[in-house]
Amino acid sequence: MSTSTSYSIKRILKNNTMFIALIVVMLLFQVLIVATDNGSLFAPSNITNIINQNAYVVILATGMLLCILTGGNIDLSVGSIVAFVGAIAGTLIANLHWNIYAAILVCLLVGILIGAWHGMWIAFVHIPPFIVTLAGMLLWRGAALIVLNGLTISPMPDKYLSLFTSYLPSVSYQMLNDNPDKAMALTFTVTMIVAVVCCIVLVISEFLQRGAKRRKGYETTALGLFIARLVLFCAVILVVASLLGRDKGIPVILIIVAVIVAVYAYYTQNTVPGRYLYALGGNAKAAQLSGVNTDHVMFFAYTNMGFLSAVAALACVARFNSAAPTAGTNYEMDAIGSCFIGGASAYGGTGTVGGAVIGAIFMGVLNNGMSILGVDSNWQKAVKGLVLLLAVLFDVMSKKRKSSK
C-alpha cells in the first residue's frame, strides 16, 4: 500500500469517526435487542419512529452548530423558544382559528425577532452569549407560561398536522382498506425511486466538488477510496429507504429536515459568509483585521438560531398534537450534545452540519436502543452524559496532539 493511500485511509477514518461509531453502535444494539428477544432496532416502524422523534434535534443542532463555530458559544434558550413559539402557534391556530399559513409565518417571524434580540445584546453590546441566552431561557419559558396560562392547548387541526406528520406517497385510507398489497407496493416503489434519485444527486455533487478541488490544486482523496465512500453512503440511503418503504413511506418531516441540512451544509462550506463563521471561531482578532465584520457574523448566528428554534417548535407542536408550557425541556442539551458528539470543537472554528446530524442520530439511537432494552431512564441520562464528556475529551486531546507536533 502506497504512503498516499495509507494517508488517505487515515484521513477518511478520522473525518468519519462518528459515522463509523454510529454504525457500530447500531449493530451492537441490534445484537443485544435480538438476543434479549425485544424485537429489532431495524424494524421499519422503529426507523420511522427514530426519524420522527429526533427531527427537532437535527433542526436545533444545525442552528446550534453555527453558534458553536463562532468560538464555542452556545444558546441555552432554544428549548424555551420552542415552548414560547409553540404556545403562540397553538393559540393562533387552535384557539383563534387563524389561517394556518399566516400563523406559521407569524411564528417564524417571532423566532427571528427573538434570535435578533439575543444577537443584538451578544454582538453589539458584547454581553457573553452564555448570560444572554441563560436570561432568554428564563424569559421565554415564563412567556410561554403566560401565553398558555399554564394549560395545554390541544388538539391541532388535521390540516396543520398533515404539514409535518404525513408521509409520501400519500396513500388514501380507501386504498389501504380495499387493496393493502397495492398500497404497500406503491409506497415501497415511490420511496425507492426517491432514494435512487438522492443517490444520483449525491454522486454527481461529490464528483463536481472533487473536480473543482482538483482544478484549484487542492489535495483530494484517492479515487478508489472516494468511490468506496460514496458506495457506503448510497448503500445507507437505500437501506433506510427500503425500511421506510416497508412502513408508511417517507415522513414529510424528513424532507423538511433534509432541505434544512442541505441548505446549511452548502452555506457553511461553499459561501463566503459561511466561511466567516469558521474564521471568527478560529481567530476572532485575525478575522477582524482581515476585514470580517465579526459583530454581524455573531448577530446572524443567533438570529438564525431563533429562526430554526421556531421551525423546531412548529414541528414539535404537530408531533405532540398540542402546545404545552413544558415543551422543549432540555432540548438545548440535546442540540449542544449532538454538535459536540458530531465533531464540533468546544473552542469553535471546527465542525460540520453533517457531523451535527450524525451526532443527533447517534443520540437518538442511544435513546431508542436503551429504551427498547428497558434501560432505566436515569441510566440513560448517565450514559448520554458520559458519551458527551468522551466526545469533548477526544476533541481536547486531538488539539493537544496537534499543538505538540
Side-chain angles (χ1 to χ4, degrees):
M1 183 183 293
S2 66
T3 305
S4 60
T5 302
S6 176
Y7 174 74
S8 295
I9 292 175
K10 288 181 180 179
R11 189 172 63 177
I12 288 175
L13 290 175
K14 183 179 178 181
N15 292 341
N16 296 278
T17 301
M18 284 313 303
F19 182 69
I20 296 168
L22 173 62
I23 293 175
V24 171
V25 168
M26 292 183 76
L27 293 175
L28 177 62
F29 272 124
Q30 175 67 5
V31 171
L32 293 174
I33 290 169
V34 171
T36 54
D37 199 24
N38 283 309
S40 172
L41 181 72
F42 296 107
S45 59
N46 193 51
I47 296 299
T48 302
N49 287 337
I50 289 175
I51 292 171
N52 288 331
Q53 290 169 2
N54 295 281
Y56 79 89
V57 183
V58 177
I59 295 171
L60 293 176
T62 301
M64 190 67 71
L65 176 71
L66 271 61
C67 297
I68 292 172
L69 287 177
T70 61
N73 301 304
I74 57 175
D75 190 333
L76 294 173
S77 67
V78 295
S80 297
I81 297 174
V82 167
F84 179 57
V85 174
I88 293 174
T91 301
L92 295 179
I93 296 173
N95 287 357
L96 301 180
H97 307 291
W98 272 40
N99 176 274
I100 289 172
Y101 299 104
I104 289 175
L105 179 60
V106 168
C107 289
L108 294 177
L109 288 174
V110 168
I112 291 171
L113 289 174
I114 291 173
W117 169 262
H118 292 163
M120 178 191 70
W121 296 111
I122 294 167
F124 303 121
V125 186
H126 302 293
I127 299 176
F130 183 89
I131 301 301
V132 173
T133 58
L134 178 62
M137 180 174 69
L138 300 173
L139 171 61
W140 307 119
R141 181 66 64 180
L145 287 165
I146 292 170
V147 171
L148 294 174
N149 197 25
L151 304 175
T152 298
I153 297 176
S154 65
M156 302 299 288
D158 290 339
K159 185 178 179 182
Y160 175 77
L161 297 179
S162 67
L163 295 176
F164 297 93
T165 61
S166 57
Y167 296 84
L168 294 177
S170 180
V171 179
S172 65
Y173 286 109
Q174 184 175 354
M175 180 182 286
L176 282 171
N177 292 328
D178 295 344
N179 197 335
D181 292 338
K182 182 179 179 181
M184 288 301 295
L186 174 64
T187 299
F188 185 82
T189 302
V190 172
T191 303
M192 292 308 297
I193 289 173
V194 172
V196 170
V197 171
C198 289
C199 289
I200 292 172
V201 171
L202 174 65
V203 170
I204 292 173
S205 64
E206 286 291 323
F207 270 101
L208 289 175
Q209 287 186 26
R210 178 182 170 83
K213 286 182 179 180
R214 289 179 70 87
R215 286 194 299 273
K216 294 175 182 178
Y218 295 152
E219 186 179 7
T220 56
T221 308
L223 182 60
L225 295 174
F226 173 76
I227 292 175
R229 177 173 169 272
L230 277 181
V231 169
L232 177 61
F233 280 122
C234 288
V236 170
I237 292 172
L238 292 173
V239 168
V240 172
S242 68
L243 293 171
L244 294 176
R246 279 182 256 163
D247 188 33
K248 300 175 184 176
I250 304 171
V252 169
I253 190 64
L254 177 60
I255 298 173
I256 295 172
V257 168
V259 170
I260 290 172
V261 168
V263 169
Y264 281 89
Y266 181 84
Y267 176 80
T268 54
Q269 297 296 318
N270 297 286
T271 68
V272 173
R275 302 311 296 179
Y276 285 167
L277 293 162
Y278 290 90
L280 175 57
N283 190 323
K285 195 68 178 176
Q288 205 167 21
L289 293 172
S290 300
V292 177
N293 191 322
T294 54
D295 288 346
H296 286 178
V297 174
M298 188 71 81
F299 179 78
F300 167 77
Y302 280 90
T303 302
N304 175 75
M305 187 71 255
F307 166 71
L308 288 180
S309 297
V311 175
L314 294 170
C316 288
V317 168
R319 179 182 164 227
F320 296 117
N321 195 16
S322 64
T326 56
T329 302
N330 290 331
Y331 280 15
E332 58 277 353
M333 300 306 165
D334 291 334
I336 295 167
S338 298
C339 291
F340 288 139
I341 290 172
S345 172
Y347 304 103
T350 302
T352 63
V353 173
V357 172
I358 291 173
I361 297 172
F362 192 94
M363 296 278 280
V365 169
L366 276 180
N367 286 332
N368 188 264
M370 289 190 291
S371 296
I372 293 174
L373 289 172
V375 177
D376 183 75
S377 60
N378 296 321
W379 279 103
Q380 290 187 32
K381 292 176 182 177
V383 169
K384 287 193 292 183
L386 182 61
V387 169
L388 176 58
L389 178 62
L390 291 174
V392 177
L393 177 64
F394 178 78
D395 171 56
V396 172
M397 296 305 292
S398 297
K399 279 199 166 29
K400 283 186 177 179
R401 280 199 299 270
K402 285 181 181 179
S403 61
S404 64
K405 289 181 180 178

